[in-house]
CSV table of all heavy atoms in Angstrom, one decimal:
chain,number,residue,atom,x,y,z
X,1,ALA,N,154.4,218.2,-81.2
X,1,ALA,CA,153.4,218.6,-82.2
X,1,ALA,C,152.1,218.0,-81.8
X,1,ALA,O,151.0,218.7,-81.9
X,1,ALA,CB,153.8,218.2,-83.6
X,2,LEU,N,152.0,216.7,-81.4
X,2,LEU,CA,150.8,216.0,-81.0
X,2,LEU,C,150.2,216.7,-79.8
X,2,LEU,O,149.0,216.8,-79.6
X,2,LEU,CB,151.1,214.6,-80.8
X,2,LEU,CG,151.3,213.7,-82.1
X,2,LEU,CD1,151.6,212.3,-81.8
X,2,LEU,CD2,150.2,213.8,-83.1
X,3,SER,N,151.2,217.0,-78.9
X,3,SER,CA,150.7,217.7,-77.7
X,3,SER,C,150.0,218.9,-78.0
X,3,SER,O,149.0,219.3,-77.4
X,3,SER,CB,151.7,217.8,-76.7
X,3,SER,OG,152.5,216.6,-76.3
X,4,ALA,N,150.7,219.7,-78.9
X,4,ALA,CA,150.2,221.1,-79.3
X,4,ALA,C,148.7,221.0,-80.0
X,4,ALA,O,147.8,221.7,-79.7
X,4,ALA,CB,151.2,221.7,-80.2
X,5,LEU,N,148.7,219.9,-80.9
X,5,LEU,CA,147.5,219.7,-81.6
X,5,LEU,C,146.3,219.3,-80.6
X,5,LEU,O,145.1,219.7,-80.8
X,5,LEU,CB,147.6,218.6,-82.7
X,5,LEU,CG,148.4,219.0,-83.9
X,5,LEU,CD1,148.6,217.8,-84.8
X,5,LEU,CD2,147.8,220.0,-84.6
X,6,PHE,N,146.7,218.4,-79.6
X,6,PHE,CA,145.8,218.0,-78.6
X,6,PHE,C,145.2,219.2,-77.8
X,6,PHE,O,144.1,219.5,-77.6
X,6,PHE,CB,146.3,217.0,-77.7
X,6,PHE,CG,145.4,216.5,-76.7
X,6,PHE,CD1,144.4,215.6,-77.0
X,6,PHE,CD2,145.6,216.8,-75.3
X,6,PHE,CE1,143.4,215.1,-76.1
X,6,PHE,CE2,144.7,216.4,-74.3
X,6,PHE,CZ,143.6,215.6,-74.7
X,7,PHE,N,146.2,220.1,-77.4
X,7,PHE,CA,145.9,221.1,-76.7
X,7,PHE,C,145.0,222.2,-77.5
X,7,PHE,O,144.0,222.7,-77.1
X,7,PHE,CB,147.1,222.0,-76.3
X,7,PHE,CG,146.9,223.3,-75.7
X,7,PHE,CD1,146.5,223.5,-74.4
X,7,PHE,CD2,147.1,224.5,-76.4
X,7,PHE,CE1,146.3,224.7,-73.8
X,7,PHE,CE2,147.0,225.8,-75.9
X,7,PHE,CZ,146.5,225.8,-74.6
X,8,LEU,N,145.4,222.3,-78.9
X,8,LEU,CA,144.5,223.3,-79.7
X,8,LEU,C,143.1,222.6,-80.0
X,8,LEU,O,142.2,223.4,-79.8
X,8,LEU,CB,145.3,223.4,-81.1
X,8,LEU,CG,146.5,224.2,-81.0
X,8,LEU,CD1,147.2,224.3,-82.5
X,8,LEU,CD2,146.2,225.7,-80.5
X,9,PHE,N,143.1,221.2,-80.0
X,9,PHE,CA,141.9,220.7,-80.1
X,9,PHE,C,140.9,220.9,-78.9
X,9,PHE,O,139.6,221.2,-79.0
X,9,PHE,CB,142.0,219.1,-80.3
X,9,PHE,CG,140.7,218.3,-80.3
X,9,PHE,CD1,139.9,218.2,-81.4
X,9,PHE,CD2,140.4,217.7,-79.3
X,9,PHE,CE1,138.7,217.6,-81.3
X,9,PHE,CE2,139.2,216.9,-79.2
X,9,PHE,CZ,138.4,217.0,-80.3
X,10,ILE,N,141.4,220.6,-77.7
X,10,ILE,CA,140.8,220.9,-76.5
X,10,ILE,C,140.3,222.4,-76.4
X,10,ILE,O,139.1,222.7,-76.0
X,10,ILE,CB,141.6,220.5,-75.3
X,10,ILE,CG1,141.9,219.0,-75.3
X,10,ILE,CG2,140.8,220.8,-74.0
X,10,ILE,CD1,140.7,218.1,-75.3
X,11,ARG,N,141.3,223.2,-76.6
X,11,ARG,CA,140.9,224.7,-76.6
X,11,ARG,C,139.8,225.1,-77.7
X,11,ARG,O,138.9,225.8,-77.3
X,11,ARG,CB,142.1,225.6,-76.9
X,11,ARG,CG,142.0,227.0,-76.4
X,11,ARG,CD,143.2,227.9,-76.5
X,11,ARG,NE,143.6,228.0,-77.9
X,11,ARG,CZ,144.7,228.7,-78.3
X,11,ARG,NH1,145.4,229.5,-77.3
X,11,ARG,NH2,145.1,228.8,-79.5
X,12,ASN,N,140.0,224.6,-78.8
X,12,ASN,CA,138.9,224.8,-79.9
X,12,ASN,C,137.5,224.3,-79.5
X,12,ASN,O,136.5,224.9,-79.7
X,12,ASN,CB,139.5,224.3,-81.2
X,12,ASN,CG,138.5,224.8,-82.4
X,12,ASN,OD1,138.2,225.9,-82.5
X,12,ASN,ND2,138.2,223.7,-83.1
X,13,ARG,N,137.6,223.1,-78.9
X,13,ARG,CA,136.3,222.4,-78.5
X,13,ARG,C,135.7,223.3,-77.4
X,13,ARG,O,134.5,223.4,-77.4
X,13,ARG,CB,136.7,221.1,-77.9
X,13,ARG,CG,135.4,220.3,-77.5
X,13,ARG,CD,135.8,218.8,-77.2
X,13,ARG,NE,134.6,218.2,-76.6
X,13,ARG,CZ,134.4,218.1,-75.3
X,13,ARG,NH1,135.2,218.7,-74.4
X,13,ARG,NH2,133.4,217.4,-74.9
X,14,GLU,N,136.5,223.7,-76.4
X,14,GLU,CA,136.0,224.5,-75.4
X,14,GLU,C,135.5,226.0,-76.0
X,14,GLU,O,134.3,226.4,-75.6
X,14,GLU,CB,137.0,224.8,-74.4
X,14,GLU,CG,137.4,223.7,-73.6
X,14,GLU,CD,138.5,223.9,-72.5
X,14,GLU,OE1,139.1,225.0,-72.7
X,14,GLU,OE2,138.8,223.1,-71.7
X,15,GLU,N,136.2,226.5,-77.0
X,15,GLU,CA,135.6,227.8,-77.5
X,15,GLU,C,134.3,227.5,-78.3
X,15,GLU,O,133.5,228.3,-78.3
X,15,GLU,CB,136.7,228.2,-78.5
X,15,GLU,CG,137.9,228.8,-77.9
X,15,GLU,CD,139.0,229.4,-78.7
X,15,GLU,OE1,138.9,229.2,-80.1
X,15,GLU,OE2,140.0,230.0,-78.3
X,16,ARG,N,134.3,226.3,-79.0
X,16,ARG,CA,133.0,226.1,-79.7
X,16,ARG,C,131.8,225.9,-78.7
X,16,ARG,O,130.8,226.4,-79.0
X,16,ARG,CB,133.1,224.8,-80.5
X,16,ARG,CG,134.0,224.8,-81.8
X,16,ARG,CD,133.7,223.8,-82.8
X,16,ARG,NE,133.9,222.6,-82.2
X,16,ARG,CZ,135.0,221.9,-82.1
X,16,ARG,NH1,136.1,222.3,-82.7
X,16,ARG,NH2,135.0,220.6,-81.6
X,17,MET,N,132.2,225.2,-77.5
X,17,MET,CA,131.1,225.1,-76.6
X,17,MET,C,130.8,226.5,-76.0
X,17,MET,O,129.5,226.7,-75.8
X,17,MET,CB,131.6,224.1,-75.4
X,17,MET,CG,131.9,222.7,-75.9
X,17,MET,SD,132.5,221.6,-74.7
X,17,MET,CE,131.2,221.6,-73.5
X,18,ARG,N,131.7,227.3,-75.8
X,18,ARG,CA,131.4,228.6,-75.2
X,18,ARG,C,130.7,229.4,-76.2
X,18,ARG,O,129.7,230.2,-75.9
X,18,ARG,CB,132.7,229.3,-74.9
X,18,ARG,CG,133.3,228.8,-73.6
X,18,ARG,CD,134.3,229.8,-73.0
X,18,ARG,NE,135.4,230.0,-73.9
X,18,ARG,CZ,136.6,229.4,-73.8
X,18,ARG,NH1,136.7,228.4,-72.9
X,18,ARG,NH2,137.5,229.5,-74.7
X,19,TYR,N,131.0,229.2,-77.5
X,19,TYR,CA,130.3,230.0,-78.7
X,19,TYR,C,128.9,229.5,-78.7
X,19,TYR,O,127.9,230.2,-78.8
X,19,TYR,CB,131.0,229.7,-80.0
X,19,TYR,CG,130.4,230.1,-81.2
X,19,TYR,CD1,130.3,231.5,-81.5
X,19,TYR,CD2,129.6,229.2,-82.0
X,19,TYR,CE1,129.6,231.9,-82.8
X,19,TYR,CE2,128.8,229.7,-83.1
X,19,TYR,CZ,128.9,230.9,-83.5
X,19,TYR,OH,128.3,231.4,-84.5
X,20,ARG,N,128.7,228.1,-78.6
X,20,ARG,CA,127.2,227.7,-78.7
X,20,ARG,C,126.5,228.2,-77.5
X,20,ARG,O,125.3,228.5,-77.6
X,20,ARG,CB,127.2,226.1,-78.7
X,20,ARG,CG,127.7,225.6,-80.1
X,20,ARG,CD,127.2,224.0,-80.2
X,20,ARG,NE,127.9,223.3,-79.2
X,20,ARG,CZ,129.1,222.5,-79.4
X,20,ARG,NH1,129.6,222.7,-80.6
X,20,ARG,NH2,129.6,221.9,-78.5
X,21,ASP,N,127.1,228.2,-76.3
X,21,ASP,CA,126.4,228.7,-75.2
X,21,ASP,C,126.0,230.2,-75.4
X,21,ASP,O,124.9,230.5,-74.9
X,21,ASP,CB,127.3,228.5,-73.9
X,21,ASP,CG,127.4,226.9,-73.5
X,21,ASP,OD1,126.6,226.3,-74.0
X,21,ASP,OD2,128.4,226.7,-72.8
X,22,ARG,N,127.0,230.9,-75.9
X,22,ARG,CA,126.8,232.3,-76.1
X,22,ARG,C,125.6,232.6,-77.0
X,22,ARG,O,124.8,233.4,-76.9
X,22,ARG,CB,128.1,233.0,-76.6
X,22,ARG,CG,128.0,234.5,-76.5
X,22,ARG,CD,129.3,235.2,-76.7
X,22,ARG,NE,129.9,234.8,-78.1
X,22,ARG,CZ,131.0,234.0,-78.3
X,22,ARG,NH1,131.4,233.4,-77.2
X,22,ARG,NH2,131.4,233.8,-79.5
X,23,VAL,N,125.7,231.8,-78.2
X,23,VAL,CA,124.7,232.0,-79.2
X,23,VAL,C,123.3,231.6,-78.6
X,23,VAL,O,122.3,232.2,-78.9
X,23,VAL,CB,125.0,231.0,-80.4
X,23,VAL,CG1,123.8,230.9,-81.4
X,23,VAL,CG2,126.2,231.6,-81.2
X,24,GLU,N,123.3,230.5,-77.9
X,24,GLU,CA,122.0,230.0,-77.3
X,24,GLU,C,121.5,231.0,-76.2
X,24,GLU,O,120.2,231.4,-76.3
X,24,GLU,CB,122.2,228.7,-76.6
X,24,GLU,CG,120.9,228.1,-76.0
X,24,GLU,CD,120.0,227.6,-77.2
X,24,GLU,OE1,120.3,227.5,-78.2
X,24,GLU,OE2,118.7,227.7,-76.8
X,25,GLN,N,122.4,231.5,-75.5
X,25,GLN,CA,121.9,232.6,-74.6
X,25,GLN,C,121.4,233.9,-75.2
X,25,GLN,O,120.4,234.4,-74.8
X,25,GLN,CB,123.0,233.0,-73.6
X,25,GLN,CG,123.4,231.8,-72.7
X,25,GLN,CD,124.7,232.2,-71.8
X,25,GLN,OE1,125.2,233.2,-71.9
X,25,GLN,NE2,125.1,231.1,-71.0
X,26,GLU,N,122.2,234.3,-76.2
X,26,GLU,CA,121.9,235.5,-76.9
X,26,GLU,C,120.4,235.2,-77.7
X,26,GLU,O,119.6,236.1,-77.8
X,26,GLU,CB,122.9,235.9,-77.8
X,26,GLU,CG,122.6,237.2,-78.5
X,26,GLU,CD,122.6,238.5,-77.5
X,26,GLU,OE1,123.3,238.4,-76.5
X,26,GLU,OE2,121.8,239.3,-77.6
X,27,ARG,N,120.4,234.1,-78.3
X,27,ARG,CA,119.1,233.8,-79.1
X,27,ARG,C,118.0,233.7,-78.1
X,27,ARG,O,116.9,234.3,-78.5
X,27,ARG,CB,119.3,232.4,-79.9
X,27,ARG,CG,118.1,232.0,-80.7
X,27,ARG,CD,118.4,230.8,-81.4
X,27,ARG,NE,118.7,229.7,-80.5
X,27,ARG,CZ,117.7,228.8,-80.0
X,27,ARG,NH1,116.5,229.0,-80.4
X,27,ARG,NH2,118.1,227.8,-79.3
X,28,THR,N,118.1,233.0,-77.1
X,28,THR,CA,117.1,233.0,-76.0
X,28,THR,C,116.6,234.3,-75.5
X,28,THR,O,115.4,234.9,-75.5
X,28,THR,CB,117.4,232.1,-74.8
X,28,THR,OG1,117.7,230.9,-75.3
X,28,THR,CG2,116.2,232.1,-73.8
X,29,ARG,N,117.7,235.3,-75.3
X,29,ARG,CA,117.2,236.6,-74.9
X,29,ARG,C,116.7,237.4,-76.1
X,29,ARG,O,115.7,238.2,-75.8
X,29,ARG,CB,118.6,237.4,-74.4
X,29,ARG,CG,118.4,238.8,-73.8
X,29,ARG,CD,119.7,239.5,-73.6
X,29,ARG,NE,120.6,238.7,-72.7
X,29,ARG,CZ,121.7,238.1,-73.0
X,29,ARG,NH1,122.1,238.3,-74.3
X,29,ARG,NH2,122.4,237.5,-72.2
X,30,PHE,N,117.2,237.2,-77.2
X,30,PHE,CA,116.6,237.9,-78.3
X,30,PHE,C,115.2,237.6,-78.7
X,30,PHE,O,114.3,238.4,-78.9
X,30,PHE,CB,117.5,237.6,-79.5
X,30,PHE,CG,117.2,238.4,-80.8
X,30,PHE,CD1,117.9,239.7,-80.9
X,30,PHE,CD2,116.3,238.0,-81.7
X,30,PHE,CE1,117.5,240.4,-82.2
X,30,PHE,CE2,116.0,238.8,-82.9
X,30,PHE,CZ,116.7,240.0,-83.0
X,31,GLN,N,114.8,236.2,-78.5
X,31,GLN,CA,113.5,235.8,-78.7
X,31,GLN,C,112.6,236.3,-77.6
X,31,GLN,O,111.4,236.8,-77.9
X,31,GLN,CB,113.5,234.3,-78.8
X,31,GLN,CG,114.3,233.6,-80.0
X,31,GLN,CD,114.5,232.2,-79.8
X,31,GLN,OE1,114.2,231.8,-78.8
X,31,GLN,NE2,114.9,231.6,-80.8
X,32,LEU,N,113.0,236.2,-76.4
X,32,LEU,CA,112.2,236.8,-75.2
X,32,LEU,C,111.9,238.2,-75.4
X,32,LEU,O,110.7,238.6,-75.3
X,32,LEU,CB,112.9,236.4,-73.9
X,32,LEU,CG,112.2,236.9,-72.7
X,32,LEU,CD1,110.9,236.2,-72.5
X,32,LEU,CD2,113.1,236.6,-71.5
X,33,GLU,N,112.8,239.0,-75.7
X,33,GLU,CA,112.7,240.4,-76.0
X,33,GLU,C,111.9,240.6,-77.2
X,33,GLU,O,110.9,241.6,-77.2
X,33,GLU,CB,114.0,241.2,-76.0
X,33,GLU,CG,114.9,241.2,-74.8
X,33,GLU,CD,114.2,241.9,-73.8
X,33,GLU,OE1,113.3,242.8,-74.0
X,33,GLU,OE2,114.6,241.6,-72.5
X,34,ALA,N,111.9,239.8,-78.3
X,34,ALA,CA,111.1,240.1,-79.4
X,34,ALA,C,109.7,239.8,-79.1
X,34,ALA,O,108.8,240.5,-79.5
X,34,ALA,CB,111.7,239.3,-80.5
């Protein structure tokens, strides 16, 4: 269970990082185009 939680924590952290990167990239593109 702890291994699964650790795996989920790492995966969730990576997803959050990818989400922030995606939001930042999209925001930058959106602002530039605007």
Side-chain angles (χ1 to χ4, degrees):
L2 290 175
S3 300
L5 289 175
F6 180 74
F7 172 77
L8 291 175
F9 171 78
I10 296 298
R11 189 175 70 175
N12 187 50
R13 179 173 175 271
E14 292 177 350
E15 289 179 352
R16 289 198 307 269
M17 293 177 65
R18 287 195 295 268
Y19 170 78
R20 285 197 297 267
D21 292 342
R22 187 170 67 251
V23 169
E24 184 64 25
Q25 292 173 3
E26 189 60 36
R27 181 173 63 85
T28 302
R29 185 186 304 112
F30 190 87
Q31 293 166 354
L32 179 60
E33 295 294 340

